[in-house]
Amino acid sequence: MQAAITIGGNEIKAGTRQSIHLPLPQFYNYSPTSMIVHVFHGRNPGPCVLVSSALHGDEINGVEIIRRVLGHKSIDRIKGTLILIPVINVFGFVSQSRYLPDRRDLNRSFPGSPKGSMAARLAHVLMSEVLPRCTHVIDLHTGAVARENFPQVRATLNGNRELEEIAKAFNAPVVLDSPLRAGTFRKAAHDLGIPSIVYEAGEALRFDEVSIRAGVVGILNILSHLGMIRKRTRRKEHQPLIAKSSQWVRATQSGIARSIVALGAKVSVGDELAYISDPSGGHEEIVKSSVAGIVIGRTRLPLVHEGEAIFHIARFSRPTAVAESIENFQDAFDPLTDTIESDEPPVVS
């Protein structure tokens, strides 16, 4: 039997489940607030996996993903420990904002400080109370407002075989080998020697059912890969492939953009991606792809300025194989099919 752990002054014994409220600064009207941390502490020793969401308060897909994981029967008999934090940036979540009230980005404020800005203090709560107890981190994100991301895992591999296996085990169709950025939660975990991945899918302030379903299954896949829950079988296989780089295609002029390619589409150099016209329709330019690869992100707002990033394209050595993997992925997670194990009807947004 594994030993008890303590988070926020609360002792969690082996074989128990607790929901802990970590105190946060009050709102300016003196309303109290806290960060809710759900802990499943198994009877038998094993890894300790943290799944976190809403570091950016408007990225809500992850909140629904964690809600569904919380209700999944397999985690009741978990080996090791699973820590789930559905809303880290409580202040941004309440105000439907990416940022904290002082406009700071929490995901650029790690490792934080107990005497710094609000962002620094929230980061310090995670660094002192939660992260040191973890062996692995899965951080859930979406695109920003009016920007959508195709389901993808991001990790800084650098030849780290263990991290690559974890990233692939999630089983998103795309794994983007992306560099670490100073101040991010992923960088803070890396500095502590904790393997961490980011799951990016959907857009801010929107539920995307495919992204949510893929996120739930991805988390369970990793728990299975680590031996924390029973081995899972996959009904449809799609082999995740690694992109070593990506590039944004930018607007060639200001105006109204009409996109003609979808997320997940395979594109070649010179392929037409969008048309940009002035409001009166007097002048139009064609936006063409400058690289070959897969569209993993795009703007959803038709109004663009010259130089604005409008398509994010990941580059692969075998783009055709990735396109086939994406087709299998989309078939597997289509909310109109019955291929995904779930006790709930899909959410329509």
Side-chain angles (χ1 to χ4, degrees):
M1 182 178 294
Q2 64 178 337
I5 60 172
T6 301
I7 296 177
N10 297 271
E11 184 182 61
I12 305 103
K13 295 181 179 179
T16 65
R17 165 182 178 172
Q18 283 194 41
S19 295
I20 295 164
H21 292 250
L22 295 180
L24 298 178
Q26 294 174 318
F27 285 96
Y28 49 68
N29 66 354
Y30 265 56
S31 297
T33 188
S34 60
M35 183 191 303
I36 301 176
V37 180
H38 302 282
V39 183
F40 294 75
H41 194 44
R43 294 181 63 84
N44 298 314
C48 179
V49 174
L50 167 64
V51 183
S52 56
S53 174
L55 264 174
H56 295 132
D58 58 359
E59 298 182 1
I60 63 174
N61 260 349
V63 181
E64 174 64 10
I65 289 170
I66 288 178
R67 188 191 70 81
R68 296 190 191 185
V69 171
L70 279 165
H72 206 278
K73 296 176 181 178
S74 63
I75 66 174
D76 290 333
R77 298 181 298 277
I78 202 160
K79 179 181 178 182
T81 306
L82 176 64
I83 301 175
L84 301 166
I85 308 180
V87 181
I88 290 179
N89 182 356
V90 177
F91 301 92
F93 185 75
V94 168
S95 61
Q96 302 178 22
S97 169
R98 176 183 180 90
Y99 304 107
L100 287 157
D102 60 0
R103 298 295 297 169
R104 291 180 186 268
D105 187 336
L106 180 54
N107 205 28
R108 297 294 183 271
S109 303
F110 287 88
S113 164
K115 297 181 179 180
S117 66
M118 177 182 282
R121 294 177 190 221
L122 261 65
H124 177 74
V125 169
L126 282 174
M127 294 297 294
S128 59
E129 293 289 350
V130 180
L131 200 56
R133 293 154 181 79
C134 301
T135 60
H136 303 80
V137 172
I138 305 169
D139 193 22
L140 308 177
H141 285 262
T142 75
V145 172
R147 290 188 180 275
E148 59 179 345
N149 286 331
F150 189 73
Q152 61 197 262
V153 165
R154 298 183 184 180
T156 305
L157 301 179
N158 287 338
N160 186 327
R161 189 59 181 268
E162 178 192 7
L163 184 55
E164 181 176 332
E165 289 178 354
I166 291 169
K168 287 184 174 180
F170 194 97
N171 211 34
V174 173
V175 176
L176 182 59
D177 188 357
S178 61
L180 292 166
R181 297 187 65 175
T184 62
F185 190 33
R186 184 158 64 98
K187 174 68 162 57
H190 176 270
D191 291 345
L192 293 177
I194 301 171
S196 61
I197 65 170
V198 167
Y199 174 58
E200 283 272 2
E203 68 173 298
L205 297 175
R206 297 287 184 272
F207 276 168
D208 178 76
E209 183 64 20
V210 170
S211 300
I212 291 167
R213 285 179 155 214
V216 172
V217 172
I219 291 166
L220 297 175
N221 284 342
I222 287 182
L223 297 181
S224 174
H225 172 78
L226 295 173
M228 298 173 68
I229 62 174
R230 62 178 173 80
K231 187 173 178 60
R232 294 174 54 81
T233 58
R234 299 169 186 165
R235 297 191 184 185
K236 281 203 173 183
E237 186 63 43
H238 47 272
Q239 180 62 40
L241 296 176
I242 297 174
K244 292 295 184 181
S245 64
S246 64
Q247 183 171 316
W248 281 94
V249 175
R250 299 182 179 276
T252 52
Q253 71 170 33
S254 299
I256 300 173
R258 307 190 313 280
S259 173
I260 58 174
V261 296
L263 280 180
K266 174 178 172 289
V267 296
S268 301
V269 175
D271 281 359
E272 296 181 0
L273 304 179
Y275 302 101
I276 302 178
S277 307
D278 66 49
S280 63
H283 179 70
E284 182 173 89
E285 288 195 8
I286 301 172
V287 178
K288 296 183 179 181
S289 179
S290 55
V291 295
I294 302 294
V295 178
I296 62 169
R298 66 173 187 173
T299 182
R300 287 180 57 86
L301 186 64
L303 311 178
V304 300
H305 288 103
E306 182 178 338
E308 187 172 335
I310 52 177
F311 293 96
H312 191 195
I313 299 175
R315 292 185 281 194
F316 296 87
S317 58
R318 294 189 296 148
T320 300
V322 179
E324 293 174 356
S325 174
I326 286 172
E327 184 176 349
N328 290 337
F329 167 84
Q330 290 171 327
D331 288 344
F333 290 99
D334 186 336
L336 299 180
T337 70
D338 297 322
T339 59
I340 302 302
E341 175 188 346
S342 175
D343 297 325
E344 303 181 29
V347 171
V348 179
S349 58

